[in-house]
Amino acid sequence: MKTVIGLEIHAQLLTETKAFCNCKIDVNAKPNTNICPVCTGQPGALPVLNKKVVEFAIMAGLALNCEIHESSSFDRKNYFYPDLPKGYQITQYFHPIATEGYLNLDNGKHVRIRRIHIEEDAGKMVHSSENITESKESLIDFNRCGVPLIEIVTEPDMEKSEEAKEFMEKLRDILRTLGVCSGNMEEGALRCDANVSVVDDSGRSSSRVEVKNINSFRYVQYAIEYEAERISKALKDGKDVKHETRGWDFVTRTTVSLRSKEEENDYRYFPEPDLPILKVSKSQIENIKQNLPELPDQKSERYVKAYGLAKDNANIIAKDKIISAYFEKLVSSKMDPKDSSNWIVNDLLALFNADSVDFNPDKVPIESLKVLMEYTNSGKISRLSAKEVLGEIYKNNKNPQDIIKEKNLIQVSDENSLVPVIKKVIENNPSVVEQYKKGKTSVIGFFVGNVMKETKGKADPKVVGDLAKKILDGEIE
């Protein structure tokens, strides 16, 4: 069985105002306060295209290797739903602004992008229950009507749910780097519909099923896996698979049937009569292209080549422009790039991930991390103590020197202080001493670890190792 996956992704653009009117975009605004005759579809109200929407769409198209069309146009997609007051959505159906792009995955797979088009969002329905069928009432907030979107449609080039998840993550990172979309799926700023079908061993393909409005990267993967398994079982049992739209239920982790799949002619597309043909010049496109920021994959490659970073570290740092800016400032302050990347990936980001919050450089200022790294690299404090200090900085934004002083964490490297402790550990472990005398020199690590416990992590492990060897070899009485 082979799974065939294509994605349709809606990305909300980070403009200050809506696509065709001057209403402000504010996700925290009270319901039905950021509305006007245009976005609520009042008779006689005419749309005016937001210039920034076009610029952002072109930026996304260029970053995704698309052909940008100098001439594109808008159309009406007609359907009735309570949160669509006009009874139609302004979109680009016949002539989109960008086509024929691609995005490469880490496994080398080349995922083609069929089209990117501009459209407006509908309103938001709020149900009294999580399950619409159990809701006693539903309310409508029209604030989201007319919010600008780009829809990114891939070809069905993916075969694994992991590939779809990676595509979404890479796309999110690109859009955030461009500054055109927040990428926050939980807020609805990035929404994914997955089209799934299965081809059996005889080459027979099932009908295509669309899973709507998946709102997290994990659920993209889970929904596709569930649907692929459901369709595969139906094919094995000789049953037909309906060409339908299904929804993802994150509580039961199953898909549920919503409606039969609409065909394109159901929407009665026709050219939008209130908007002229959209024209952009070659010079405008070229100017936007020249001003694109360095994209995550390009940045990661540079980090590997210029700084010798491990590929995994380079990818993690490069995908977020705030993290990458933090890293580059740390390196520019003459800190070792590899050491800096290890601190950021293994220690710093772990603190934010544990709290499930986005990275915030103000929580651990660069100067604080630099001081901590210098103390550790010079042997003044142990790596274990440094991790403890970092946690204190993160929680309380305290000065690292003050934390080190308060907790008395400066490493003990004085031989006169360490020798008695080492001798005590050696005397208490005669069997390990015997192993050393028989040539098993790796047991030095055992003595170092126990001395570290005795000194509560304050002993310099390198000095301890050297002294333990000299005591065992009889060089120190």
Side-chain angles (χ1 to χ4, degrees), residues 15-16 20 50 151 179 237-238 284 328 336 356:
T15 55
E16 293 183 8
F20 302 109
N50 184 335
E151 182 172 355
D237 294 343
Q284 286 174 310
E328 294 193 16
D336 179 75
S356 299

Side-chain angles (χ1 to χ4, degrees), residues 316-317 323-324 326-328 330 337-351 359 369 373 383:
I316 290 169
I317 293 170
I323 297 172
S324 60
Y326 187 94
F327 166 74
E328 294 193 16
L330 198 58
K338 288 184 181 179
D339 194 26
S340 298
S341 74
N342 287 331
W343 273 90
I344 290 171
V345 173
N346 299 328
D347 300 292
L348 188 57
L349 293 181
L351 296 171
F359 175 72
L369 182 57
M373 290 170 65
R383 193 69 171 78

